[in-house]
Amino acid sequence: MGSWRLYATVAAGGFRRYATYRAATFAGVFTNTVFGVILVYTYLALWDEKPHLGGYDQAQAVTYVWLGQCLYSTLALQGGGAEKDVIERIRTGEIAVDLYRPADLQLWWLASDLGRSLFQLLGRGVIPFVFGALFFPMALPADVTSWAALFVALLLAMVVSFGIRYLAALSVFWLMDGMGIMQAVMITGVFCSGIVFPLNAFPGALGDLVRALPWAAQLQVPADVLMGETDPLGAYAFQATWAVVLLGAGRLLQSAATRRVVVQGG
């Protein structure tokens, strides 16, 4: 119980940390809203030419856009979460202090990132989503059960997102610099998460591949859960499987890294 209280405190600290950046939050809300409007009109034009593309009608396509803008920072689809701190602490050698703490390194940063994600969802994600619902036709459920199902999918998406970024951050134990790996995370996150274009609309074998990768658990799966396009239990199983795989891989890589710890400067 004491350990869980510790990680709950770390999560609360992550929430409060990002809540202090009010100007950045306001700018993010504005940016996500503007990009949402641009994407919506692009999607509407595309769906006029290709009705039911990817199995979505226009209202569902619009819903997908605004959910994506809601989750863009929540899930750090292009980076910008706890992995930044992990990379910097590895680079400077401060990670040695973290390893001496009476806490699990992976759980510590997972808790911190979940706190960040929750703030970004409430502080930066909700307003663009509500704006979209007010000014554009969206396929939103009327029952509480569907929204509760979405919330569970979002929690699992947060864990999957952390798992991907934590693995990338740990690579800096060997690379000694995070610039290249974070560029790769950014590009892969944009393409494979479906933030620009729904993964359901990807053709053939490429579509099958991207929908099987962990990035699909971040946006595509929650969107389909929200709009009733998939069975929630099957969606949760897909997300939970990737969460376990990624966290397990992170645990193994962390163990290997801490056995050979190389702290720059000695």
Side-chain angles (χ1 to χ4, degrees):
M1 288 298 294
S3 296
W4 288 112
R5 283 198 296 269
L6 169 64
Y7 298 122
T9 302
V10 172
F15 185 99
R16 288 195 302 270
R17 174 186 174 186
Y18 282 84
T20 59
Y21 300 114
R22 297 177 184 176
T25 300
F26 176 80
V29 168
F30 177 78
T31 302
N32 286 134
T33 303
V34 170
F35 272 98
V37 171
I38 293 171
L39 279 174
V40 162
Y41 281 110
T42 303
Y43 274 37
L44 289 176
L46 180 59
W47 259 258
D48 278 338
E49 296 296 322
K50 298 285 187 179
H52 300 287
L53 180 63
Y56 289 162
D57 58 28
Q58 279 194 335
Q60 289 176 313
V62 170
T63 305
Y64 185 92
V65 169
W66 289 112
L67 183 62
Q69 294 307 304
C70 174
L71 299 182
Y72 176 78
S73 294
T74 300
L75 302 178
L77 294 177
Q78 285 190 276
E83 78 284 354
K84 290 191 310 178
D85 295 324
V86 176
I87 288 172
E88 181 63 17
R89 294 180 75 81
I90 294 173
R91 190 187 66 81
T92 62
E94 293 177 276
I95 195 70
V97 176
D98 298 338
L99 293 172
Y100 274 105
R101 287 193 181 117
D104 183 85
L105 185 69
Q106 187 184 51
L107 288 178
W108 178 284
W109 289 109
L110 172 60
S112 178
D113 199 63
L114 289 176
R116 178 205 60 81
S117 296
L118 184 57
F119 172 76
Q120 296 288 22
L121 176 64
L122 298 175
R124 183 168 170 173
V126 170
I127 294 176
F129 191 81
V130 171
F131 176 90
L134 291 175
F135 293 99
F136 296 93
M138 290 172 62
L140 298 178
D143 58 295
V144 176
T145 303
S146 296
W147 291 102
L150 172 65
F151 181 73
V152 174
L154 292 184
L155 288 177
L156 288 169
M158 291 175 188
V159 177
V160 171
S161 172
F162 169 80
I164 294 170
R165 291 177 286 110
Y166 189 68
L167 278 171
L170 289 177
S171 69
V172 180
F173 273 109
W174 289 268
L175 299 176
M176 298 300 174
D177 183 83
M179 179 88 50
I181 191 66
M182 291 319 299
Q183 288 292 327
V185 167
M186 180 186 303
I187 294 169
T188 308
V190 169
F191 183 79
C192 294
S193 70
I195 187 66
V196 175
F197 197 62
L199 301 182
N200 286 351
F202 278 43
L206 176 60
D208 294 336
L209 174 62
V210 293
R211 287 190 293 272
L213 294 175
W215 289 272
Q218 295 178 280
L219 174 55
Q220 186 66 63
V221 170
D224 285 340
V225 168
L226 175 64
M227 295 183 285
E229 291 293 315
T230 188
D231 172 44
L233 294 181
Y236 299 158
F238 175 78
Q239 291 179 298
T241 298
W242 271 118
V244 170
V245 168
L246 291 167
L247 292 178
R251 177 71 59 178
L252 291 174
L253 191 60
Q254 175 183 300
S255 178
T258 53
R259 282 199 302 269
R260 73 173 297 279
V261 162
V262 174
V263 176
Q264 288 185 344

